[in-house]
Amino acid sequence: MDVAVLGATGDVGRQVCTQLVERRVLPATSRLQLVGRADGRSSRATYGLAADLVDAYDEHAPLLDVALDPADVVADVVVVAAGRTAGTEPGVPVDRRALAADNARVFATYAEALARHGSGREVVVVVSNPVELGVAIFAEALGRHRVIGMGAWLDTLRFRREVAASIGVRRHRVGGFAVGQHGDDLVPLWSTVRIAGLDVAERRAEVARVRGARTLATYDEEIAAAKRALATAAVDDLAGAFRLVDSWPPDVRVAARPWMTQQSGAKTAAGTASATIDLIDTVLDGRDTVVAGQVALDREVELAGKPVEGVLGVPVVLGPEGWTQVLLPALADDEERRLAAVADRVSRSIEPWLTATAGDGTALVPVEGGVA
């Protein structure tokens, strides 16, 4: 089984490549294709990365291949880590419209190339932001069941870790999902939390203790207030800002901690890559596994009495041929209301981007007056 990483020399792409080799996800007989741009700095760095990986992991490294033309991308799993990333300058908000405009071009170029030159069986894992836009573009080109966004799985792992930390257990003992849109529009599904070793009554008591009497009706306001507090605290005491994050409920920490990490000038590349490796390993393993991911829905889910047609993060069954089934359980009222609102916002953010490219690979462009 072969893996291609688009944007292999970026912060996340490099981590994905390194962890794939270091964790021995790919056997020595498989191929890891490092994909860069012929007209960018990565054209040189991609060859250097291949050499560095062999230098570090020669005893068990897979076959390493460099591709600088989208038409040359061929693999069983294609990881989309190419494109521009959100900035890390403290105090500067992310311009999601500009990020979408830049990365839509990247998504469209590679989606069209895979549709024309790919095997017709590859599974695409979208890492680059906006994840939902990337999933929409690749799903239209390749078929929706072969495309999954990594964001909801990363949010799920973060949610489980924060719940585990509050309860005082390790993350592997905690189940549960965070769905919706990657970022501040995530939806932590408290109703799905399970804790190994605790019966139903004990689990409910622990969830009630760490969550308190709060509901998701105030979640947006809590996240906004957390960011304001962190922006002030970080000016004089960055360590204190992270301690402040630790004082908040788990679901607020899920949104606040990665934001504070970005604001510190660091990035979340290691965690993002690790979650991506989980999905790659699931596809390559050959067995179906329940994960969370952004997928293009076609009425598999109904929220607030309305079928969802569009991209949304939900629990799905993932296997060697992509995702096959949505496993969204019955939700608490506040969860369903928030998820329905998020689904509507995601749909409105994607809709302005045209869903076709010119024959020469011209990228998607937003419809005049649209919101991205």
Side-chain angles (χ1 to χ4, degrees):
M1 301 290 279
D2 301 333
V3 174
V5 180
L6 314 184
T9 60
D11 291 320
V12 172
R14 183 183 292 269
Q15 275 281 342
V16 169
C17 293
T18 301
Q19 290 189 30
L20 275 172
V21 179
E22 186 175 46
R23 291 165 58 173
R24 306 192 186 196
V25 175
L26 296 175
T29 54
S30 291
R31 181 171 59 95
L32 174 57
Q33 188 177 57
L34 314 181
V35 183
R37 289 171 46 207
D39 59 346
R41 288 180 296 178
S42 65
S43 62
R44 294 169 59 88
T46 307
Y47 286 100
L49 175 59
D52 189 36
L53 290 173
V54 171
D55 193 27
Y57 306 106
D58 183 62
E59 289 77 13
H60 60 266
L63 302 173
L64 295 172
D65 177 34
V66 170
L68 301 179
D69 186 332
D72 294 333
V73 177
V74 179
D76 300 290
V77 180
V78 177
V79 178
V80 183
R84 188 166 71 85
T85 60
T88 58
E89 186 176 350
V92 177
V94 176
D95 186 342
R96 294 186 65 86
R97 183 180 178 86
L99 185 64
D102 287 348
N103 287 350
R105 298 181 179 91
V106 176
F107 298 149
T109 297
Y110 283 108
E112 182 178 352
L114 283 173
R116 289 186 177 184
H117 307 288
S119 67
R121 298 181 303 275
E122 55 273 297
V123 175
V124 174
V125 179
V126 179
V127 180
S128 303
N129 284 307
V131 170
E132 293 76 18
L133 177 59
V135 169
I137 293 172
F138 277 94
E140 180 172 278
L142 306 177
R144 62 194 185 96
H145 286 281
R146 289 165 49 201
V147 182
I148 185 169
M150 179 280 310
W153 184 238
L154 176 58
D155 291 335
T156 288
L157 292 176
R158 288 170 171 168
F159 180 47
R160 292 177 181 180
R161 189 188 80 84
E162 298 294 1
V163 171
S166 291
I167 293 174
V169 299
R170 300 294 297 272
R171 181 170 64 184
H172 71 272
R173 288 185 55 189
V174 176
F177 296 97
V179 296
Q181 183 176 21
H182 182 48
D184 291 352
D185 260 343
L186 67 92
V187 183
L189 300 182
W190 282 99
S191 64
T192 66
V193 171
R194 301 292 183 268
I195 305 162
L198 301 186
D199 62 26
V200 173
E202 292 170 329
R203 184 255 302 171
R204 288 176 177 170
E206 282 298 293
V207 168
R209 179 180 67 82
V210 300
R211 187 185 187 186
R214 304 159 46 254
T215 72
L216 297 181
T218 59
Y219 193 48
D220 284 333
E221 291 79 5
E222 288 181 290
I223 293 174
K227 287 185 174 181
R228 289 194 297 270
L230 291 174
T232 300
V235 172
D236 299 317
D237 185 4
L238 191 61
F242 278 103
R243 288 194 296 272
L244 182 60
V245 172
D246 290 334
S247 70
W248 292 329
D251 51 356
V252 176
R253 299 201 302 264
V254 169
R257 196 183 304 279
W259 185 83
M260 192 63 245
T261 302
Q262 290 286 118
Q263 290 293 297
S264 73
K267 297 182 179 180
T268 58
T272 299
S274 182
T276 303
I277 299 297
D278 286 348
L279 299 188
I280 296 171
D281 201 17
T282 296
V283 174
L284 298 181
D285 183 59
R287 292 179 294 179
D288 291 342
T289 303
V290 179
V291 299
Q294 273 75 15
V295 297
L297 298 172
D298 185 16
R299 304 174 72 88
E300 290 93 346
V301 170
E302 184 175 291
L303 297 170
K306 179 182 177 182
V308 178
E309 296 179 275
V311 178
L312 191 65
V314 290
V316 296
V317 177
L318 181 66
E321 297 180 354
W323 67 274
T324 55
Q325 185 180 0
V326 178
L327 294 180
L328 186 67
L331 303 177
D333 290 344
D334 62 329
E335 296 169 345
E336 183 165 359
R337 283 193 296 270
R338 178 171 175 82
L339 189 55
V342 168
D344 183 61
R345 288 197 287 270
V346 172
S347 178
R348 286 187 286 110
S349 72
I350 292 175
E351 186 178 2
W353 300 88
L354 302 181
T355 56
T357 61
D360 60 358
T362 302
L364 305 184
V365 294
V367 175
E368 185 65 29
V371 178

